[in-house]
Amino acid sequence: MDIDVPCTICGSSKARRCDRCHSAAYCSRECQQTDWRTHRLLCRKFSEHARDHFANRPSPKHHLAVFFPMDKTRPSLVWVDSKKDKYEAEPYFHPVLDQLLHIPGNKYIGRDLRQLQGNVLRGRPSSQDTLNLWFLDPDVPPRNITTNKAIHGTIPTLIGDTWGEFIWKGPVIAVMRKGTGFEPRHSTDITLTAYRDAIDYLGYYRDTIGSMIEPGQDDHFSKRVLADRISKVVGVRINCLRDQIDRQEPEMVEVAVPKTHPLFNLEGDDPCDIPSLFGLDLVAKSYGSNQSSGGGNDDDDDAPPADGLENPLAQLLLMTTSIKDGKWVRLPDYRRHLRHGSILFVCRSKRDIKTEDIHTFCNLIEEVVVPFVLKENASNPGARKRLLSQLEEEGVRRGLKY
């Protein structure tokens, strides 16, 4: 852990910087996983720029910024020049944005600016520097302006894990200004924590009101929306053998999962079949793409996992009662990515779950479902109905109700 480095996702001071870019920090695997969908878009490129202390900087007046182009489906890192204001008594440097904010078919277009000095959603009520978000004046729409594809042009969208109801049009650029005064006079390089703040600002923006994440934003609706997203819930991570050894952790651990984790709104398939029969809406996500394939053949559901990536306990919990082509379906195709590696389970309704809950269902499945599907031919009439009846009867006997 790095001393006094706040977590990009929850604001905890016990965070560790990203090994590649060193520009964002996370206090846990769960917080890192929460940010990965957007962080990965710029992580490698930022590390390339930051190499050798930004040796590729065009000039001392250029600083790194994040550009959300109107016509491309992902943000990018750009160098932004700055120009000294000759009318200011004290040195003041304007970012040079003409080319980035230009739309063909128009001359000069009016601009709008929003400043952010903290992010209450991420536990940062204040910041050392000021994030400036520049975009085109919405009251004077230029010709040929379209919805910003970098923000809205993918499925899920860049801001898909936010409130996300405001539609941004035209290019948007995020620039960092040094300090937190009324109007900081100098630019500085943006960080990928500030990039996360920019995404949150854009995603929680309300027309004429501002962004819900701004410090001091205290209207009732903003409070209600953020209350559902701030803080964490308890989930359970089932570790594969490799992670048990490497991380010195038991097979099953309770973990604090941010309420902004994509499992709660963007990702995760239908809840696990058997727990859902008793009212527990468990959804799952694997840790890392290298674990999802397990080194085997992705087209073969029976391919053995790579050494150490076996996770028999998770496979029990993911087991279904479905039948296809006269055979029991152990794991449906849409969950193939959950075959191997460590798996995170959370309750989609954002309730805490405990390791005892997972143990209870794993025991139920191992003692009732596994023997049944091994003994009963799935093609027999009423086979699934009999299995569900046995499950319900045994679940009632064990007091399973959520």
Side-chain angles (χ1 to χ4, degrees):
M1 297 290 180
D2 294 319
I3 299 175
D4 296 330
V5 176
C7 177
T8 295
I9 291 299
C10 72
S12 168
S13 61
K14 298 180 179 179
R16 176 179 176 178
R17 295 185 188 275
C18 173
D19 289 339
R20 179 190 288 164
C21 69
H22 303 285
S23 186
Y26 307 102
C27 65
S28 67
R29 296 177 77 186
E30 288 66 42
C31 277
Q32 185 176 29
Q33 195 180 59
T34 298
D35 198 36
W36 181 242
R37 189 180 67 87
T38 51
H39 180 83
R40 66 182 177 84
L41 300 176
L42 298 182
C43 180
R44 184 182 299 276
K45 197 65 178 178
F46 189 95
S47 66
E48 293 172 0
H49 281 299
R51 194 174 298 147
D52 299 324
H53 303 286
F54 297 96
N56 61 344
R57 189 187 305 276
S59 79
K61 295 190 302 174
H62 283 78
H63 294 90
L64 210 56
V66 175
F67 181 46
F68 302 90
M70 179 180 71
D71 56 352
K72 296 181 180 178
T73 56
R74 62 188 297 165
S76 60
L77 289 165
V78 294
W79 290 109
V80 171
D81 196 3
S82 55
K83 180 175 63 176
K84 186 176 181 180
D85 191 326
K86 61 183 179 181
Y87 299 106
E88 289 280 343
E90 295 183 37
Y92 185 95
F93 291 86
H94 295 279
V96 180
L97 305 175
D98 292 352
Q99 185 174 355
L100 293 171
L101 293 178
H102 175 70
I103 295 180
N106 296 269
K107 294 183 179 180
Y108 178 81
I109 306 170
R111 301 166 187 174
D112 213 340
L113 168 66
R114 295 291 185 272
Q115 294 194 141
L116 183 64
Q117 297 180 345
N119 183 342
V120 296
L121 177 66
R122 306 298 176 184
R124 295 189 291 277
S126 61
S127 56
Q128 293 182 339
D129 297 313
T130 301
L131 176 65
N132 279 5
L133 285 162
W134 290 91
F135 50 96
L136 300 179
D137 187 350
D139 295 327
V140 188
R143 291 180 294 173
N144 304 324
I145 191 170
T146 59
T147 299
N148 188 297
K149 289 185 178 179
I151 300 172
H152 301 288
T154 58
I155 299 176
T157 67
L158 185 71
I159 58 172
D161 54 351
T162 65
W163 184 63
E165 290 195 5
F166 183 82
I167 303 300
W168 293 90
K169 293 187 176 182
V172 177
I173 185 160
V175 179
M176 286 298 287
R177 303 289 282 179
K178 189 179 297 184
T180 55
F182 172 70
E183 196 171 354
R185 294 179 169 271
H186 299 269
S187 294
T188 189
D189 293 317
I190 199 165
T191 67
L192 295 193
T193 292
Y195 161 60
R196 175 74 255 180
D197 291 339
I199 291 173
D200 289 337
Y201 187 97
L202 297 169
Y204 287 94
Y205 186 79
R206 300 171 65 199
D207 195 17
T208 73
I209 294 176
S211 183
M212 300 178 190
I213 70 164
E214 293 180 89
Q217 187 71 265
D218 59 357
D219 68 280
H220 177 71
F221 184 75
S222 295
K223 286 182 175 180
R224 190 177 68 189
V225 170
L226 292 187
D228 185 53
R229 291 162 168 80
I230 290 176
S231 74
K232 301 180 179 182
V233 296
V234 178
V236 173
R237 184 201 312 138
I238 302 181
N239 287 317
C240 63
L241 181 60
R242 181 182 296 179
D243 279 349
Q244 292 177 51
I245 296 172
D246 291 347
R247 302 178 65 85
Q248 294 294 295
E249 289 183 342
E251 184 177 22
M252 195 182 303
V253 291
E254 293 176 6
V255 292
V257 184
K259 289 182 178 178
T260 53
H261 193 287
L263 265 180
F264 294 117
N265 43 44
L266 284 180
E267 299 180 9
D269 307 299
D270 294 335
C272 298
D273 286 25
I274 295 170
S276 67
L277 295 174
F278 301 94
L280 189 61
D281 52 344
L282 289 183
V283 287
K285 182 174 175 63
S286 64
Y287 283 81
S289 58
N290 63 317
Q291 294 182 347
S292 64
S293 65
N297 183 352
D298 282 344
D299 295 326
D300 182 4
D301 192 33
D302 294 320
D307 289 344
L309 293 182
E310 305 91 344
N311 199 329
L313 206 59
Q315 298 311 301
L316 269 180
L317 197 58
L318 292 164
M319 196 170 180
T320 77
T321 60
S322 303
I323 296 174
K324 183 178 180 181
D325 298 329
K327 297 180 180 180
W328 295 105
V329 178
R330 184 182 60 185
L331 193 69
D333 289 344
Y334 61 82
R335 286 191 175 137
R336 294 167 74 87
H337 61 291
L338 299 173
R339 285 179 297 160
H340 315 307
S342 296
I343 309 291
L344 171 67
F345 290 90
V346 299
C347 184
R348 179 165 281 168
S349 55
K350 299 182 181 178
R351 294 184 293 172
D352 291 344
I353 56 173
K354 304 292 184 182
T355 54
E356 290 83 357
D357 299 315
I358 304 301
H359 273 302
T360 298
F361 279 105
C362 287
N363 290 337
L364 175 69
I365 295 167
E366 188 172 33
E367 295 167 11
V368 176
V369 181
V370 173
F372 187 95
V373 300
L374 289 175
K375 181 178 65 175
E376 180 91 16
N377 193 318
S379 61
N380 291 341
R384 184 171 185 271
K385 186 176 181 180
R386 287 192 294 276
L387 173 57
L388 293 176
S389 178
Q390 285 192 25
L391 269 173
E392 182 180 4
E393 181 180 332
E394 186 61 25
V396 170
R397 190 184 71 80
R398 300 185 186 201
L400 290 178
K401 187 68 177 177
Y402 289 86

